[in-house]
Amino acid sequence: MERERHPLEVFTQALDQLEARRTVAVAPPSPATETTAETVEDTLGRERAEFAPVAANDLDTFVNATIELDRERWRVASLGRIREVVFGAQDGILSTVALVTSVAVALDSQTAVLVAGLAAAGTISMATGAYLGSRAEQDVQRAEIARKAQEIEEKPAEELAELVVIYQREGRSFEEARRMADEIAEDKELWLRTLVEKELGISPDETSNPMKDAAAMGLSFLLAASVPIIPHILLTGTAAISGSVTGALVALFVLGSLKGRLVQKSPILQGLEILG
């Protein structure tokens, strides 16, 4: 709610300025003023001068409001990348600690443990997997949007009926729903965007980025995988194994706590969830 306070102020200001602009535009002439060509021209000139700063402020406010909308959309998209971070870090910690501990117990050789741990780093595999998965998701969404656009061209009556039903499900009467659907259907691009969002449940504006998803996954895996390896660089024997396992458990709890702070949930409970 606190985060939405600023956008609310921006849009309230925009509405106030639009109302002021409408008031200026429809203001009736004074009855005491003599209506002559010269008087009308003077009045129009004066109103243009008064209206100019209002129009400029409208534009500035509209730009600020648009920026605010875009910022919110990209902020949520960035937060969605926490999936790759948690997945990559958790897999990096668990797979690496299991491997280096097994090798350390079996061979009792620090060199063998380090070689196994470094060779098993799946940074490239995890990053490419995230990239290909994100691309596949994009391809599916693009195909669905294209299919919906084709349906609007080939079966407009059916798609219009779907839009009416969607608005009825949102609580509007049939007359209201039909009127809104008719107005939206006058603009095919808006019609398509509305059906994509409300019927398919996806955004027509692509906010995912396969390269960023891959970078988040690969980097989180690499950093997390280093935690169980570091004790085997500094220590040997049982001390190294204990330090590696302890470090892995602590890292899992810290990962959950950071996620909890980010999503505004209990850091302790979120840490225990990932640790468990």
Side-chain angles (χ1 to χ4, degrees):
M1 292 298 294
E2 288 298 323
R3 186 164 53 237
E4 292 302 319
R5 190 179 302 279
H6 176 64
L8 176 61
E9 293 174 354
V10 171
F11 285 107
T12 301
Q13 182 184 5
L15 289 174
D16 291 341
Q17 293 187 1
L18 287 173
E19 180 64 21
R21 175 178 178 175
R22 187 187 67 82
T23 303
V24 171
V26 301
S30 173
T33 303
E34 183 180 355
T35 306
T36 64
E38 183 177 354
T39 303
V40 170
E41 185 62 30
D42 291 342
T43 302
L44 290 176
R46 186 167 59 254
E47 288 185 353
R48 289 192 192 100
E50 294 174 353
F51 177 70
V54 177
N57 289 335
D58 284 347
L59 179 60
D60 292 341
T61 305
F62 174 76
V63 171
N64 291 335
T66 302
I67 293 174
E68 192 68 36
L69 284 174
D70 292 339
R71 184 185 295 119
E72 285 293 293
R73 182 168 63 248
W74 287 105
R75 181 186 64 81
V76 174
S78 298
L79 283 177
R81 208 156 280 124
I82 191 176
R83 174 187 56 187
E84 279 72 27
V85 173
V86 172
F87 183 20
Q90 179 263 352
D91 191 63
I93 293 171
L94 288 182
S95 61
T96 305
V97 72
L99 178 64
V100 296
T101 301
S102 302
V103 174
V105 172
L107 299 181
D108 193 21
S109 169
Q110 185 181 34
T111 302
V113 171
L114 294 178
V115 170
L118 295 174
T123 303
I124 295 177
S125 173
M126 296 295 289
T128 53
Y131 175 82
L132 294 174
S134 183
R135 281 292 301 272
E137 184 180 20
Q138 274 190 346
D139 291 340
V140 169
Q141 292 182 353
R142 289 171 180 171
E144 288 299 314
I145 293 174
R147 181 182 63 82
K148 182 55 63 177
Q150 183 178 1
E151 289 178 352
I152 290 177
E153 292 293 336
E154 296 178 352
K155 299 179 290 184
E158 180 178 333
E159 297 304 313
L160 182 63
E162 289 180 357
L163 193 56
V164 172
V165 172
I166 289 172
Y167 284 129
Q168 283 185 289
R169 290 176 60 181
E170 293 179 351
R172 294 175 174 84
S173 66
F174 174 78
E175 291 75 16
E176 292 175 333
R178 180 57 189 267
R179 184 174 64 254
M180 292 178 65
D182 287 338
E183 291 176 357
I184 289 176
E186 293 177 359
D187 185 338
K188 282 193 175 181
E189 183 177 351
L190 177 60
W191 190 2
L192 175 61
R193 290 178 63 90
T194 304
L195 284 175
V196 167
E197 291 176 347
K198 292 183 175 292
E199 181 183 355
L200 303 183
I202 60 179
S203 173
D205 300 318
E206 291 185 355
T207 54
S208 62
N209 188 316
M211 290 300 296
K212 290 183 178 180
D213 292 343
M217 177 75 78
L219 185 60
S220 61
F221 184 97
L222 181 63
L223 293 177
S226 66
V227 173
I229 297 176
I230 291 176
H232 288 280
I233 298 177
L234 304 177
L235 305 170
T236 58
T238 304
I241 295 174
S242 300
S244 179
V245 174
T246 302
L249 297 176
V250 171
L252 288 170
F253 181 81
V254 171
L255 175 65
S257 298
L258 294 176
K259 175 213 166 188
R261 292 183 181 277
L262 192 61
V263 300
Q264 299 180 357
K265 290 187 176 181
S266 171
I268 295 178
L269 293 179
Q270 293 295 303
L272 292 174
E273 179 185 53
I274 292 187
L275 176 60

